Amino acid sequence: MTATRPHADAGLSRGLLLLMSVATGLAVAGNYFAQPLLDLIGREFGVGPSQAALVVTAAQAGYALGLILLVPLGDLVERRRLAMSLYAATALFLLVSATAPNGTVLLASTALTALTSVGAQVVVPFAATLAAPAERGRVVGTVMTGLMLGLLLARTASGALSELGGWRTVYWVNAVLMVLMAVLLRTFLPRLGGDGARQSYPGLLRSTVAMFRHEPLLRWRAGIGALSLASFSVLWTALTFLLVQGAYGWSESAIGLFGLVGAVGALTATVAGRLADRGYVQRVTGAGTVLLVASWAAIAAGERSLLWLLAAVVVLDLAHQAVLNSSQNVIYALRPEARNRINSAFMTTFFVGGAVGSALASVVWVHAGWTGVCALGGALSAGTVVLWVLERITVNRAAGKPAPVHQDLVLTKGE
């Protein structure tokens, strides 16, 4: 890392942007290591597919809890210290997962790892704040590319490392990397925030919830994002069960390689961000929702065709990334002084959708197989189209009306 430590008003260098992107990816990766390892974990602890899939659900539920309880602190306390502390705690809980003696301990440590890994969601609005307004879409897209690559490549890494040293190896490796990230963030991030001492923690949480009441665009975008991640999670949870048996019968390392396919879609985040900077944010969202629906037709054909499955995974990940990035550009422009709370409200709903999608996928797989999974994913994707259309209708009708000022959302005097 060649960048020197900047002041908060010094902008965002390429080196610092790269560090933030890598840090977000490594933080969220720990929540997805288990997906290609569900069969191995289930065999070691003597549980079936639906019980093993609870590891994935625990990760997403823990992440959602961290989003609502911890991320708003970025509007209250000094953000560099908050990010560093969360990364260090994540490393500790990864070590617990690596040494888990039974499924109960693994579930608990997975939930706690996810709870503190929301440090990634402290880093994202941190980057948005440091970025110049005209480049915010590109910057957020770059950091989210790192996050999505971490999410997707976690499967590849866990599959490969499980072949070398068992399923626990990836947790040991990521714990070491998270310690390194905590040190680097402490060294290179500028000091930012910490002016909210007058606000109580309960008041902070109340104002986060109030964002939903007073910001219609946040409600619409949170709903769209939740359905998008639910659809995304349905595929990636059920995909392991499909590939490990039936017409495929792949090993865990081969299943993990599918993360490389999904990474192709994740790399479009910066493109979506640049389009948002040029004023095309609504077109990006609309196109993304339509592509989500279309991808599920190809996913259905992928039950017995690897070619269709590969193409469908790329399209679904591309569409999901477009929906997410464009939605973030919309919500980050709402209230700059409350960016962490807005991010908390949005991302909490977003990951609750993911947890619900994972839980539904495991149940539907057991009772209806791949056909049922595809029907579920298609229905969730169709919901994103409906919500986006309703948002556009509502916003167009309200055009020209002055937005009210809500004093209960004000935390401090600016950032």
Side-chain angles (χ1 to χ4, degrees), residues 58-204:
Q60 291 172 324
Y63 200 74
L65 192 62
L67 285 167
I68 195 65
L69 295 179
L70 300 179
V71 172
L73 289 170
D75 287 335
L76 184 65
V77 302
E78 202 276 302
R79 296 178 201 176
R80 183 182 67 187
R81 186 189 313 141
L82 176 62
M84 180 193 66
S85 300
L86 290 173
Y87 274 70
T90 301
L92 174 62
F93 294 131
L94 283 166
L95 290 176
V96 177
S97 293
T99 57
N102 54 55
T104 301
V105 173
L106 180 62
L107 281 174
S109 61
T110 297
L112 290 171
T113 298
L115 180 76
T116 56
S117 69
V118 297
Q121 295 302 332
V122 174
V123 172
V124 174
F126 203 133
T129 299
L130 294 178
E135 297 184 342
R136 185 166 293 136
R138 179 187 63 82
V139 167
V140 171
T142 300
V143 176
M144 290 304 297
T145 295
L147 187 148
M148 292 302 296
L149 287 176
L151 184 156
L152 292 166
L153 296 181
R155 300 169 175 86
T156 305
S158 62
L161 289 173
S162 71
E163 293 285 322
L164 295 175
W167 65 265
R168 299 174 187 270
T169 306
V170 68
Y171 291 99
W172 287 106
V173 172
N174 199 42
V176 172
L177 292 175
M178 289 300 290
V179 170
L180 176 62
M181 285 298 105
V183 172
L184 290 175
L185 291 175
R186 174 65 178 82
T187 302
F188 292 109
L189 282 182
R191 291 180 57 85
L192 186 65
D195 299 323
R198 293 191 300 271
Q199 178 82 358
S200 68
Y201 180 65
L204 185 74

Side-chain angles (χ1 to χ4, degrees), residues 7 17 55 112 127 170 183 236 264 291 312 320 348 350 360 365 387:
H7 297 290
L17 180 58
V55 176
L112 290 171
V170 68
V183 172
W236 285 101
V264 175
L291 282 176
H320 171 67
T348 299
F350 182 69
L360 289 176
W365 169 262
L387 288 186

Side-chain angles (χ1 to χ4, degrees), residues 35-400:
Q35 287 191 353
L37 307 177
L38 295 178
D39 191 56
L40 283 177
I41 293 171
R43 288 203 303 267
E44 177 167 336
F45 294 135
V47 298
S50 59
Q51 289 85 2
L54 288 176
V55 176
V56 178
T57 303
Q60 291 172 324
Y63 200 74
L65 192 62
L67 285 167
I68 195 65
L69 295 179
L70 300 179
V71 172
L73 289 170
D75 287 335
L76 184 65
V77 302
E78 202 276 302
R79 296 178 201 176
R80 183 182 67 187
R81 186 189 313 141
L82 176 62
M84 180 193 66
S85 300
L86 290 173
Y87 274 70
T90 301
L92 174 62
F93 294 131
L94 283 166
L95 290 176
V96 177
S97 293
T99 57
N102 54 55
T104 301
V105 173
L106 180 62
L107 281 174
S109 61
T110 297
L112 290 171
T113 298
L115 180 76
T116 56
S117 69
V118 297
Q121 295 302 332
V122 174
V123 172
V124 174
F126 203 133
T129 299
L130 294 178
E135 297 184 342
R136 185 166 293 136
R138 179 187 63 82
V139 167
V140 171
T142 300
V143 176
M144 290 304 297
T145 295
L147 187 148
M148 292 302 296
L149 287 176
L151 184 156
L152 292 166
L153 296 181
R155 300 169 175 86
T156 305
S158 62
L161 289 173
S162 71
E163 293 285 322
L164 295 175
W167 65 265
R168 299 174 187 270
T169 306
V170 68
Y171 291 99
W172 287 106
V173 172
N174 199 42
V176 172
L177 292 175
M178 289 300 290
V179 170
L180 176 62
M181 285 298 105
V183 172
L184 290 175
L185 291 175
R186 174 65 178 82
T187 302
F188 292 109
L189 282 182
R191 291 180 57 85
L192 186 65
D195 299 323
R198 293 191 300 271
Q199 178 82 358
S200 68
Y201 180 65
L204 185 74
L205 297 184
R206 284 195 300 270
S207 68
T208 301
V209 175
M211 295 291 173
F212 282 118
R213 187 166 70 250
H214 298 307
E215 295 292 346
L217 274 176
L218 175 60
R219 294 196 298 270
W220 287 117
R221 290 293 167 157
I224 292 170
L227 289 176
S228 178
L229 186 61
S231 173
F232 180 90
S233 298
V234 165
L235 171 66
W236 285 101
T237 300
L239 190 61
T240 300
F241 302 133
L242 174 70
L243 295 177
V244 80
Q245 57 186 279
Y248 292 95
W250 288 10
S251 68
E252 284 73 19
S253 59
I255 294 171
L257 289 175
F258 250 83
L260 297 176
V261 179
V264 175
L267 291 172
T268 63
T270 54
V271 176
R274 291 178 188 277
L275 289 173
D277 288 337
R278 295 176 183 176
Y280 299 119
V281 66
Q282 297 301 336
R283 296 183 186 181
V284 171
T285 303
T289 60
V290 172
L291 282 176
L292 273 178
V293 177
S295 69
W296 279 100
I299 291 169
E303 182 176 13
R304 298 187 179 278
S305 169
L306 179 59
L307 183 61
W308 277 111
L309 193 59
L310 290 170
V313 168
V314 171
V315 173
L316 183 138
D317 285 0
L318 184 155
H320 171 67
Q321 187 62 36
V323 171
L324 172 59
N325 186 262
S326 58
S327 295
Q328 287 177 300
N329 277 278
V330 170
I331 64 167
Y332 285 159
L334 294 176
R335 293 180 182 272
E337 80 284 354
R339 194 164 282 143
N340 282 271
R341 282 168 288 162
I342 284 178
N343 192 52
S344 169
F346 174 80
M347 284 294 179
T348 299
T349 309
F350 182 69
F351 279 97
V352 165
V356 171
S358 291
L360 289 176
S362 60
V363 173
V364 171
W365 169 262
V366 171
H367 292 92
W370 192 247
T371 300
V373 166
C374 292
L376 172 64
L380 292 169
S381 297
T384 65
V385 179
V386 173
L387 288 186
W388 178 71
V389 171
L390 290 175
E391 176 204 300
R392 291 295 86 211
I393 293 173
T394 303
V395 170
N396 288 336
R397 285 177 178 173

